[in-house]
Amino acid sequence: MSVQERKQRERAERERLIVATARELAEQQGWDAVTTRRLAERIEYSQPVLYSHFHGKREIIGAVALQGASEMAVAMRAATAAADGPRARVTALARAYLAFAERHPAVYDALFQLDGGLAYAQEDTPEPLKDAFAALLECLSEVAGDGVRPELFTETFWASLHGLATLTRAGRLPPEDTERRTELLVDRLAML
């Protein structure tokens, strides 16, 4: 292995460490606790080393969001692959989405609430974000209905899931009714 290859590998490993540490800290204490000083202390590198990878917290949030988008896409595809029939797939998709939001609140915030400097629904949208939307679209396009653009239906269904996740987490909706809300969403919006 050349010196250049080793340096690239070490740089990539430091970047993974920074992202993993930021994510862990945000999940434990919230995003306000994630500062470059605190991250530098935790990973045992100087702040200038941190800034050589990310220009600030915004870029770190973006990196966590991209990682989270990939994980969410995998979770949704795994859930829908195990389901039989359109209704079961849409229900599994909704449950997987809501479960991801509940299990990973800081990642969910990085994806949908915080400014990570990422472009959404644009030509230059990063691939992990496009893939997470594609995971929704793959399942929901089969139930969009006649005369309805699958992308538009997917955006509407996704907005409903996001509202349920956000309002439940904020204590605006009682969590004990999550399953019933999911059933209503599938039954009435997807008309399954």
Side-chain angles (χ1 to χ4, degrees):
M1 175 181 300
S2 72
V3 171
Q4 183 65 21
E5 290 171 330
R6 181 184 54 78
K7 286 183 178 183
Q8 286 175 342
R9 188 185 74 233
E10 289 171 354
R11 180 172 175 76
E13 185 54 41
R14 270 194 314 272
E15 195 166 298
R16 279 190 292 277
L17 179 62
I18 293 166
V19 171
T21 304
R23 182 176 173 165
E24 179 184 315
L25 186 57
E27 291 290 4
Q28 291 171 352
Q29 300 177 31
W31 278 104
D32 287 343
V34 179
T35 64
T36 53
R37 183 184 60 74
R38 189 174 279 166
L39 283 174
E41 288 171 4
R42 284 208 174 187
I43 64 171
E44 299 177 347
Y45 283 101
S46 67
Q47 284 184 338
V49 169
L50 211 85
Y51 283 115
S52 74
H53 291 274
F54 299 99
H55 290 106
K57 184 175 176 177
R58 181 179 187 218
E59 285 187 10
I60 294 169
I61 290 169
V64 170
L66 293 177
Q67 186 182 72
S70 295
E71 293 170 10
M72 181 181 262
V74 167
M76 290 187 297
R77 285 189 176 108
T80 58
D84 187 31
R87 185 180 201 296
R89 278 190 290 281
V90 173
T91 301
L93 176 81
R95 287 178 181 151
Y97 183 97
L98 294 172
F100 185 90
E102 183 181 356
R103 278 193 313 272
H104 308 288
V107 174
Y108 193 81
D109 284 350
L111 270 164
F112 302 120
Q113 303 291 96
L114 302 174
D115 179 9
L118 303 173
Y120 286 77
Q122 297 175 21
E123 194 65 35
D124 60 341
T125 297
E127 202 53 45
L129 298 177
K130 288 179 181 179
D131 189 50
F133 185 77
L136 289 163
L137 182 62
E138 290 161 11
C139 177
L140 295 169
S141 63
E142 70 179 314
V143 299
D146 294 336
V148 178
R149 274 191 14 249
E151 295 83 6
L152 186 61
F153 179 78
T154 299
E155 290 168 351
T156 304
F157 197 90
W158 171 31
S160 298
L161 287 173
H162 176 69
L164 290 175
T166 303
L167 291 169
T168 301
R169 191 167 134 210
R172 305 297 197 272
L173 297 175
E176 62 270 11
D177 292 327
T178 297
E179 184 58 31
R180 183 67 187 123
R181 283 188 207 95
T182 302
E183 290 172 11
L184 283 170
L185 183 61
V186 171
D187 289 343
R188 302 297 165 89
L189 188 58
M191 295 191 298
L192 294 172

